[in-house]
mmCIF file of all heavy atoms in Angstrom:
data_model
loop_
_atom_site.group_PDB
_atom_site.id
_atom_site.type_symbol
_atom_site.label_atom_id
_atom_site.label_comp_id
_atom_site.label_asym_id
_atom_site.label_seq_id
_atom_site.Cartn_x
_atom_site.Cartn_y
_atom_site.Cartn_z
ATOM 1 N N PRO Y 1 43.960 103.151 112.788
ATOM 2 C CA PRO Y 1 42.506 102.718 112.757
ATOM 3 C C PRO Y 1 41.857 103.133 114.020
ATOM 4 O O PRO Y 1 42.459 102.825 115.157
ATOM 5 C CB PRO Y 1 42.686 101.228 112.673
ATOM 6 C CG PRO Y 1 44.005 101.020 111.959
ATOM 7 C CD PRO Y 1 44.947 102.139 112.422
ATOM 8 N N ASP Y 2 40.771 103.658 113.998
ATOM 9 C CA ASP Y 2 39.961 104.112 115.189
ATOM 10 C C ASP Y 2 38.749 103.311 115.208
ATOM 11 O O ASP Y 2 37.753 103.366 114.432
ATOM 12 C CB ASP Y 2 39.608 105.578 115.075
ATOM 13 C CG ASP Y 2 38.779 106.122 116.283
ATOM 14 O OD1 ASP Y 2 38.433 105.311 117.099
ATOM 15 O OD2 ASP Y 2 38.446 107.266 116.172
ATOM 16 N N PRO Y 3 38.559 102.321 116.214
ATOM 17 C CA PRO Y 3 37.409 101.533 116.281
ATOM 18 C C PRO Y 3 36.116 102.282 116.280
ATOM 19 O O PRO Y 3 35.098 101.853 115.645
ATOM 20 C CB PRO Y 3 37.538 100.671 117.565
ATOM 21 C CG PRO Y 3 39.097 100.659 117.706
ATOM 22 C CD PRO Y 3 39.608 101.964 117.257
ATOM 23 N N ALA Y 4 36.102 103.400 117.020
ATOM 24 C CA ALA Y 4 34.756 104.204 117.063
ATOM 25 C C ALA Y 4 34.390 104.654 115.667
ATOM 26 O O ALA Y 4 33.251 104.695 115.345
ATOM 27 C CB ALA Y 4 34.976 105.266 117.992
ATOM 28 N N GLU Y 5 35.504 104.929 114.787
ATOM 29 C CA GLU Y 5 35.205 105.466 113.471
ATOM 30 C C GLU Y 5 34.769 104.329 112.585
ATOM 31 O O GLU Y 5 33.709 104.445 111.913
ATOM 32 C CB GLU Y 5 36.505 106.171 113.030
ATOM 33 C CG GLU Y 5 36.282 106.718 111.544
ATOM 34 C CD GLU Y 5 37.560 107.437 111.068
ATOM 35 O OE1 GLU Y 5 38.538 106.751 110.859
ATOM 36 O OE2 GLU Y 5 37.501 108.645 110.894
ATOM 37 N N TYR Y 6 35.585 103.370 112.485
ATOM 38 C CA TYR Y 6 35.329 102.329 111.402
ATOM 39 C C TYR Y 6 34.029 101.478 111.849
ATOM 40 O O TYR Y 6 33.269 101.049 111.065
ATOM 41 C CB TYR Y 6 36.433 101.397 111.024
ATOM 42 C CG TYR Y 6 37.107 100.513 112.076
ATOM 43 C CD1 TYR Y 6 36.453 99.448 112.639
ATOM 44 C CD2 TYR Y 6 38.414 100.864 112.635
ATOM 45 C CE1 TYR Y 6 37.162 98.567 113.493
ATOM 46 C CE2 TYR Y 6 39.044 100.084 113.532
ATOM 47 C CZ TYR Y 6 38.348 98.920 114.008
ATOM 48 O OH TYR Y 6 39.015 98.201 114.880
ATOM 49 N N GLU Y 7 33.770 101.232 113.121
ATOM 50 C CA GLU Y 7 32.673 100.567 113.579
ATOM 51 C C GLU Y 7 31.354 101.391 113.290
ATOM 52 O O GLU Y 7 30.344 100.834 112.869
ATOM 53 C CB GLU Y 7 32.750 100.285 115.042
ATOM 54 C CG GLU Y 7 33.755 99.153 115.402
ATOM 55 C CD GLU Y 7 33.930 98.840 116.849
ATOM 56 O OE1 GLU Y 7 33.124 99.452 117.681
ATOM 57 O OE2 GLU Y 7 34.858 98.147 117.318
ATOM 58 N N GLU Y 8 31.440 102.639 113.371
ATOM 59 C CA GLU Y 8 30.198 103.408 113.060
ATOM 60 C C GLU Y 8 30.011 103.480 111.529
ATOM 61 O O GLU Y 8 28.789 103.282 111.133
ATOM 62 C CB GLU Y 8 30.510 104.996 113.468
ATOM 63 C CG GLU Y 8 29.371 105.965 113.030
ATOM 64 C CD GLU Y 8 29.746 107.313 113.225
ATOM 65 O OE1 GLU Y 8 30.721 107.667 113.881
ATOM 66 O OE2 GLU Y 8 28.993 108.200 112.725
ATOM 67 N N ILE Y 9 31.003 103.450 110.700
ATOM 68 C CA ILE Y 9 30.900 103.457 109.304
ATOM 69 C C ILE Y 9 30.291 102.131 108.827
ATOM 70 O O ILE Y 9 29.446 102.037 108.002
ATOM 71 C CB ILE Y 9 32.228 103.734 108.556
ATOM 72 C CG1 ILE Y 9 32.612 105.190 108.857
ATOM 73 C CG2 ILE Y 9 32.130 103.412 107.024
ATOM 74 C CD1 ILE Y 9 34.085 105.474 108.324
ATOM 75 N N VAL Y 10 30.780 100.962 109.438
ATOM 76 C CA VAL Y 10 30.359 99.748 109.135
ATOM 77 C C VAL Y 10 28.875 99.496 109.590
ATOM 78 O O VAL Y 10 27.987 98.814 108.807
ATOM 79 C CB VAL Y 10 31.227 98.578 109.720
ATOM 80 C CG1 VAL Y 10 30.610 97.222 109.573
ATOM 81 C CG2 VAL Y 10 32.604 98.650 108.987
ATOM 82 N N GLU Y 11 28.555 100.009 110.797
ATOM 83 C CA GLU Y 11 27.234 99.896 111.206
ATOM 84 C C GLU Y 11 26.143 100.582 110.267
ATOM 85 O O GLU Y 11 25.118 100.033 109.986
ATOM 86 C CB GLU Y 11 27.101 100.504 112.641
ATOM 87 C CG GLU Y 11 25.716 100.312 113.280
ATOM 88 C CD GLU Y 11 25.562 100.997 114.632
ATOM 89 O OE1 GLU Y 11 26.625 101.385 115.153
ATOM 90 O OE2 GLU Y 11 24.500 100.980 115.266
ATOM 91 N N LYS Y 12 26.701 101.727 109.743
ATOM 92 C CA LYS Y 12 25.692 102.495 108.929
ATOM 93 C C LYS Y 12 25.692 101.965 107.548
ATOM 94 O O LYS Y 12 24.596 101.942 106.796
ATOM 95 C CB LYS Y 12 26.020 103.977 108.921
ATOM 96 C CG LYS Y 12 25.848 104.661 110.157
ATOM 97 C CD LYS Y 12 26.273 106.135 110.147
ATOM 98 C CE LYS Y 12 25.987 106.865 111.364
ATOM 99 N NZ LYS Y 12 26.325 108.319 111.376
ATOM 100 N N HIS Y 13 26.797 101.429 107.049
ATOM 101 C CA HIS Y 13 26.926 101.150 105.510
ATOM 102 C C HIS Y 13 27.565 99.833 105.291
ATOM 103 O O HIS Y 13 28.036 99.614 104.132
ATOM 104 C CB HIS Y 13 27.710 102.361 104.805
ATOM 105 C CG HIS Y 13 26.963 103.610 104.886
ATOM 106 N ND1 HIS Y 13 25.751 103.919 104.238
ATOM 107 C CD2 HIS Y 13 27.358 104.847 105.606
ATOM 108 C CE1 HIS Y 13 25.485 105.209 104.457
ATOM 109 N NE2 HIS Y 13 26.319 105.702 105.214
ATOM 110 N N GLY Y 14 27.721 98.950 106.187
ATOM 111 C CA GLY Y 14 28.352 97.737 105.998
ATOM 112 C C GLY Y 14 27.826 96.880 104.909
ATOM 113 O O GLY Y 14 28.470 96.091 104.273
ATOM 114 N N ASP Y 15 26.517 97.057 104.606
ATOM 115 C CA ASP Y 15 25.826 96.250 103.567
ATOM 116 C C ASP Y 15 26.337 96.547 102.149
ATOM 117 O O ASP Y 15 26.090 95.868 101.226
ATOM 118 C CB ASP Y 15 24.414 96.413 103.661
ATOM 119 C CG ASP Y 15 23.865 97.876 103.535
ATOM 120 O OD1 ASP Y 15 24.482 98.750 104.123
ATOM 121 O OD2 ASP Y 15 22.913 98.033 102.891
ATOM 122 N N ILE Y 16 26.866 97.834 101.951
ATOM 123 C CA ILE Y 16 27.327 98.245 100.681
ATOM 124 C C ILE Y 16 28.892 98.384 100.580
ATOM 125 O O ILE Y 16 29.356 98.661 99.459
ATOM 126 C CB ILE Y 16 26.752 99.607 100.275
ATOM 127 C CG1 ILE Y 16 27.095 100.727 101.270
ATOM 128 C CG2 ILE Y 16 25.160 99.427 100.171
ATOM 129 C CD1 ILE Y 16 26.700 102.081 100.749
ATOM 130 N N ILE Y 17 29.610 98.187 101.632
ATOM 131 C CA ILE Y 17 31.110 98.318 101.626
ATOM 132 C C ILE Y 17 31.556 96.787 101.259
ATOM 133 O O ILE Y 17 31.281 95.774 101.948
ATOM 134 C CB ILE Y 17 31.730 98.663 102.946
ATOM 135 C CG1 ILE Y 17 31.123 100.033 103.306
ATOM 136 C CG2 ILE Y 17 33.205 98.602 102.868
ATOM 137 C CD1 ILE Y 17 31.611 100.452 104.694
ATOM 138 N N ALA Y 18 32.203 96.679 100.038
ATOM 139 C CA ALA Y 18 32.763 95.432 99.643
ATOM 140 C C ALA Y 18 34.127 95.162 100.037
ATOM 141 O O ALA Y 18 34.508 93.893 100.436
ATOM 142 C CB ALA Y 18 32.725 95.333 98.042
ATOM 143 N N ARG Y 19 34.889 96.166 100.269
ATOM 144 C CA ARG Y 19 36.349 95.992 100.606
ATOM 145 C C ARG Y 19 36.804 97.213 101.214
ATOM 146 O O ARG Y 19 36.190 98.360 101.105
ATOM 147 C CB ARG Y 19 37.159 95.587 99.390
ATOM 148 C CG ARG Y 19 37.005 96.514 98.172
ATOM 149 C CD ARG Y 19 37.964 96.157 97.032
ATOM 150 N NE ARG Y 19 39.327 96.260 97.387
ATOM 151 C CZ ARG Y 19 40.290 96.361 96.562
ATOM 152 N NH1 ARG Y 19 40.061 96.477 95.266
ATOM 153 N NH2 ARG Y 19 41.499 96.568 97.038
ATOM 154 N N TRP Y 20 37.836 97.052 102.082
ATOM 155 C CA TRP Y 20 38.480 98.197 102.699
ATOM 156 C C TRP Y 20 40.059 97.917 102.783
ATOM 157 O O TRP Y 20 40.485 96.940 103.307
ATOM 158 C CB TRP Y 20 37.891 98.377 104.149
ATOM 159 C CG TRP Y 20 38.202 99.684 104.775
ATOM 160 C CD1 TRP Y 20 39.263 100.510 104.706
ATOM 161 C CD2 TRP Y 20 37.208 100.430 105.765
ATOM 162 N NE1 TRP Y 20 39.074 101.635 105.459
ATOM 163 C CE2 TRP Y 20 37.830 101.625 106.111
ATOM 164 C CE3 TRP Y 20 35.962 100.095 106.226
ATOM 165 C CZ2 TRP Y 20 37.331 102.491 106.948
ATOM 166 C CZ3 TRP Y 20 35.423 101.014 107.199
ATOM 167 C CH2 TRP Y 20 36.042 102.215 107.455
ATOM 168 N N SER Y 21 40.778 98.931 102.286
ATOM 169 C CA SER Y 21 42.213 98.781 102.255
ATOM 170 C C SER Y 21 42.999 99.443 103.425
ATOM 171 O O SER Y 21 42.588 100.707 103.615
ATOM 172 C CB SER Y 21 42.778 99.295 100.838
ATOM 173 O OG SER Y 21 42.450 98.484 99.889
ATOM 174 N N ALA Y 22 43.948 98.956 103.989
ATOM 175 C CA ALA Y 22 44.745 99.470 105.137
ATOM 176 C C ALA Y 22 46.047 98.943 105.181
ATOM 177 O O ALA Y 22 46.328 97.903 104.560
ATOM 178 C CB ALA Y 22 43.919 99.195 106.448
ATOM 179 N N ALA Y 23 46.944 99.515 105.954
ATOM 180 C CA ALA Y 23 48.280 99.045 106.209
ATOM 181 C C ALA Y 23 48.269 98.225 107.331
ATOM 182 O O ALA Y 23 47.892 98.713 108.516
ATOM 183 C CB ALA Y 23 49.282 100.264 106.471
ATOM 184 N N PRO Y 24 48.505 96.951 107.214
ATOM 185 C CA PRO Y 24 48.462 95.937 108.405
ATOM 186 C C PRO Y 24 49.317 96.136 109.539
ATOM 187 O O PRO Y 24 49.190 95.626 110.557
ATOM 188 C CB PRO Y 24 48.461 94.572 107.675
ATOM 189 C CG PRO Y 24 49.519 94.868 106.559
ATOM 190 C CD PRO Y 24 49.152 96.247 106.090
ATOM 191 N N GLU Y 25 50.535 96.825 109.322
ATOM 192 C CA GLU Y 25 51.524 96.917 110.393
ATOM 193 C C GLU Y 25 51.189 97.941 111.351
ATOM 194 O O GLU Y 25 51.970 98.094 112.475
ATOM 195 C CB GLU Y 25 52.944 97.105 109.705
ATOM 196 C CG GLU Y 25 53.187 98.488 109.287
ATOM 197 C CD GLU Y 25 52.628 98.873 107.869
ATOM 198 O OE1 GLU Y 25 51.772 97.952 107.385
ATOM 199 O OE2 GLU Y 25 53.059 99.864 107.256
ATOM 200 N N ILE Y 26 50.341 98.914 111.118
ATOM 201 C CA ILE Y 26 50.155 100.042 112.052
ATOM 202 C C ILE Y 26 49.294 99.590 113.200
ATOM 203 O O ILE Y 26 48.533 98.661 113.173
ATOM 204 C CB ILE Y 26 49.476 101.224 111.344
ATOM 205 C CG1 ILE Y 26 48.128 100.821 110.747
ATOM 206 C CG2 ILE Y 26 50.470 101.665 110.251
ATOM 207 C CD1 ILE Y 26 47.447 102.050 110.052
ATOM 208 N N GLU Y 27 49.394 100.298 114.315
ATOM 209 C CA GLU Y 27 48.608 99.982 115.508
ATOM 210 C C GLU Y 27 47.111 99.888 115.333
ATOM 211 O O GLU Y 27 46.504 100.773 114.744
ATOM 212 C CB GLU Y 27 48.951 101.016 116.586
ATOM 213 C CG GLU Y 27 48.289 100.712 117.991
ATOM 214 C CD GLU Y 27 48.604 101.820 119.004
ATOM 215 O OE1 GLU Y 27 49.474 102.701 118.690
ATOM 216 O OE2 GLU Y 27 47.979 101.865 119.936
ATOM 217 N N GLY Y 28 46.544 98.782 115.688
ATOM 218 C CA GLY Y 28 45.068 98.615 115.568
ATOM 219 C C GLY Y 28 44.623 97.918 114.266
ATOM 220 O O GLY Y 28 43.405 97.649 114.149
ATOM 221 N N ALA Y 29 45.580 97.731 113.354
ATOM 222 C CA ALA Y 29 45.138 97.226 111.989
ATOM 223 C C ALA Y 29 44.625 95.780 112.102
ATOM 224 O O ALA Y 29 43.732 95.402 111.317
ATOM 225 C CB ALA Y 29 46.265 97.340 111.015
ATOM 226 N N LEU Y 30 45.169 94.955 112.989
ATOM 227 C CA LEU Y 30 44.705 93.578 112.953
ATOM 228 C C LEU Y 30 43.269 93.392 113.481
ATOM 229 O O LEU Y 30 42.555 92.686 112.964
ATOM 230 C CB LEU Y 30 45.690 92.626 113.835
ATOM 231 C CG LEU Y 30 47.111 92.671 113.268
ATOM 232 C CD1 LEU Y 30 47.966 91.663 114.101
ATOM 233 C CD2 LEU Y 30 47.142 92.335 111.841
ATOM 234 N N ALA Y 31 42.990 94.221 114.538
ATOM 235 C CA ALA Y 31 41.556 94.248 115.118
ATOM 236 C C ALA Y 31 40.678 94.778 114.034
ATOM 237 O O ALA Y 31 39.532 94.300 113.846
ATOM 238 C CB ALA Y 31 41.499 95.099 116.358
ATOM 239 N N PHE Y 32 41.123 95.819 113.178
ATOM 240 C CA PHE Y 32 40.344 96.401 112.154
ATOM 241 C C PHE Y 32 40.117 95.239 111.166
ATOM 242 O O PHE Y 32 38.934 95.041 110.679
ATOM 243 C CB PHE Y 32 41.100 97.459 111.476
ATOM 244 C CG PHE Y 32 40.708 97.839 110.084
ATOM 245 C CD1 PHE Y 32 39.631 98.702 109.864
ATOM 246 C CD2 PHE Y 32 41.348 97.320 109.037
ATOM 247 C CE1 PHE Y 32 39.217 99.020 108.599
ATOM 248 C CE2 PHE Y 32 40.898 97.542 107.789
ATOM 249 C CZ PHE Y 32 39.865 98.408 107.437
ATOM 250 N N GLY Y 33 41.092 94.475 110.790
ATOM 251 C CA GLY Y 33 40.895 93.384 109.778
ATOM 252 C C GLY Y 33 39.920 92.323 110.299
ATOM 253 O O GLY Y 33 39.032 91.858 109.515
ATOM 254 N N GLN Y 34 40.015 91.961 111.502
ATOM 255 C CA GLN Y 34 38.995 91.049 112.089
ATOM 256 C C GLN Y 34 37.553 91.599 112.027
ATOM 257 O O GLN Y 34 36.616 90.828 111.646
ATOM 258 C CB GLN Y 34 39.358 90.720 113.525
ATOM 259 C CG GLN Y 34 40.721 89.972 113.702
ATOM 260 C CD GLN Y 34 41.110 89.897 115.177
ATOM 261 O OE1 GLN Y 34 40.402 90.488 116.068
ATOM 262 N NE2 GLN Y 34 42.285 89.352 115.422
ATOM 263 N N HIS Y 35 37.464 92.891 112.337
ATOM 264 C CA HIS Y 35 36.116 93.442 112.372
ATOM 265 C C HIS Y 35 35.550 93.406 110.926
ATOM 266 O O HIS Y 35 34.238 93.187 110.615
ATOM 267 C CB HIS Y 35 36.184 94.864 112.849
ATOM 268 C CG HIS Y 35 34.881 95.502 113.082
ATOM 269 N ND1 HIS Y 35 33.996 95.197 114.183
ATOM 270 C CD2 HIS Y 35 34.114 96.390 112.336
ATOM 271 C CE1 HIS Y 35 32.840 95.821 114.132
ATOM 272 N NE2 HIS Y 35 32.922 96.608 113.037
ATOM 273 N N MET Y 36 36.385 93.722 109.891
ATOM 274 C CA MET Y 36 35.946 93.708 108.520
ATOM 275 C C MET Y 36 35.430 92.270 108.118
ATOM 276 O O MET Y 36 34.357 92.151 107.553
ATOM 277 C CB MET Y 36 37.017 94.112 107.556
ATOM 278 C CG MET Y 36 37.443 95.656 107.786
ATOM 279 S SD MET Y 36 36.075 96.807 107.542
ATOM 280 C CE MET Y 36 35.937 97.417 109.200
ATOM 281 N N ARG Y 37 36.220 91.338 108.535
ATOM 282 C CA ARG Y 37 35.875 89.940 108.112
ATOM 283 C C ARG Y 37 34.562 89.550 108.788
ATOM 284 O O ARG Y 37 33.722 88.780 108.275
ATOM 285 C CB ARG Y 37 37.006 88.955 108.410
ATOM 286 C CG ARG Y 37 38.145 88.941 107.352
ATOM 287 C CD ARG Y 37 37.616 88.442 106.092
ATOM 288 N NE ARG Y 37 38.726 88.342 105.037
ATOM 289 C CZ ARG Y 37 38.498 87.861 103.836
ATOM 290 N NH1 ARG Y 37 37.298 87.613 103.355
ATOM 291 N NH2 ARG Y 37 39.641 87.861 102.953
ATOM 292 N N ASP Y 38 34.380 89.928 110.042
ATOM 293 C CA ASP Y 38 33.296 89.543 110.771
ATOM 294 C C ASP Y 38 32.017 90.131 110.119
ATOM 295 O O ASP Y 38 30.925 89.670 110.347
ATOM 296 C CB ASP Y 38 33.322 90.060 112.211
ATOM 297 C CG ASP Y 38 34.364 89.201 112.988
ATOM 298 O OD1 ASP Y 38 34.744 88.157 112.644
ATOM 299 O OD2 ASP Y 38 34.737 89.739 114.172
ATOM 300 N N HIS Y 39 32.263 91.214 109.394
ATOM 301 C CA HIS Y 39 30.998 91.831 108.756
ATOM 302 C C HIS Y 39 31.075 91.595 107.189
ATOM 303 O O HIS Y 39 30.447 92.348 106.497
ATOM 304 C CB HIS Y 39 31.068 93.384 109.039
ATOM 305 C CG HIS Y 39 30.693 93.674 110.481
ATOM 306 N ND1 HIS Y 39 31.589 93.525 111.540
ATOM 307 C CD2 HIS Y 39 29.383 93.965 110.989
ATOM 308 C CE1 HIS Y 39 31.045 93.791 112.640
ATOM 309 N NE2 HIS Y 39 29.647 94.073 112.353
ATOM 310 N N HIS Y 40 31.766 90.609 106.805
ATOM 311 C CA HIS Y 40 31.810 90.112 105.381
ATOM 312 C C HIS Y 40 32.330 91.230 104.412
ATOM 313 O O HIS Y 40 31.893 91.427 103.282
ATOM 314 C CB HIS Y 40 30.396 89.753 104.938
ATOM 315 C CG HIS Y 40 29.756 88.704 105.859
ATOM 316 N ND1 HIS Y 40 30.314 87.423 105.960
ATOM 317 C CD2 HIS Y 40 28.769 88.845 106.732
ATOM 318 C CE1 HIS Y 40 29.436 86.827 106.885
ATOM 319 N NE2 HIS Y 40 28.599 87.563 107.431
ATOM 320 N N ILE Y 41 33.313 91.942 104.927
ATOM 321 C CA ILE Y 41 34.050 92.990 104.089
ATOM 322 C C ILE Y 41 35.455 92.557 103.902
ATOM 323 O O ILE Y 41 36.135 92.067 104.872
ATOM 324 C CB ILE Y 41 33.954 94.297 104.863
ATOM 325 C CG1 ILE Y 41 32.523 94.959 105.010
ATOM 326 C CG2 ILE Y 41 34.819 95.327 104.085
ATOM 327 C CD1 ILE Y 41 32.354 96.095 105.875
ATOM 328 N N LEU Y 42 35.941 92.642 102.727
ATOM 329 C CA LEU Y 42 37.284 92.112 102.435
ATOM 330 C C LEU Y 42 38.323 93.144 102.872
ATOM 331 O O LEU Y 42 38.331 94.229 102.269
ATOM 332 C CB LEU Y 42 37.344 91.827 100.849
ATOM 333 C CG LEU Y 42 38.772 91.620 100.274
ATOM 334 C CD1 LEU Y 42 39.301 90.343 100.920
ATOM 335 C CD2 LEU Y 42 38.677 91.515 98.810
ATOM 336 N N PRO Y 43 39.188 92.841 103.912
ATOM 337 C CA PRO Y 43 40.232 93.777 104.147
ATOM 338 C C PRO Y 43 41.481 93.495 103.286
ATOM 339 O O PRO Y 43 41.830 92.300 102.911
ATOM 340 C CB PRO Y 43 40.610 93.450 105.560
ATOM 341 C CG PRO Y 43 40.136 91.980 105.777
ATOM 342 C CD PRO Y 43 39.078 91.665 104.796
ATOM 343 N N ALA Y 44 42.060 94.526 102.653
ATOM 344 C CA ALA Y 44 43.108 94.457 101.796
ATOM 345 C C ALA Y 44 44.448 95.117 102.204
ATOM 346 O O ALA Y 44 44.253 96.203 102.954
ATOM 347 C CB ALA Y 44 42.764 94.873 100.394
ATOM 348 N N ILE Y 45 45.548 94.690 101.846
ATOM 349 C CA ILE Y 45 46.865 95.390 102.161
ATOM 350 C C ILE Y 45 47.162 96.486 101.262
ATOM 351 O O ILE Y 45 47.246 96.130 100.035
ATOM 352 C CB ILE Y 45 48.014 94.233 102.206
ATOM 353 C CG1 ILE Y 45 47.638 93.127 103.223
ATOM 354 C CG2 ILE Y 45 49.243 94.833 102.584
ATOM 355 C CD1 ILE Y 45 48.435 91.840 103.052
#
């Protein structure tokens, strides 16, 4: 997970992204999950 990448995608299209799937054990995944929830996007394992 690259915060610069997923934050840009969410900033541009967060209103149409309903869910985003990722592996939670990899580096940066928990911060990614928090960012998704903060923007009302469902993070999935």
Side-chain angles (χ1 to χ4, degrees):
D2 178 359
E5 179 178 66
Y6 64 72
E7 288 175 8
E8 177 187 349
I9 293 173
V10 169
E11 182 179 359
K12 290 180 177 178
H13 297 292
D15 59 316
I16 61 169
I17 301 171
R19 50 177 299 202
W20 196 325
S21 292
E25 76 279 12
I26 62 178
E27 182 183 348
L30 298 185
F32 161 84
Q34 293 170 1
H35 191 78
M36 294 304 111
R37 281 298 186 182
D38 288 345
H39 290 81
H40 309 290
I41 297 168
L42 171 64
I45 300 168

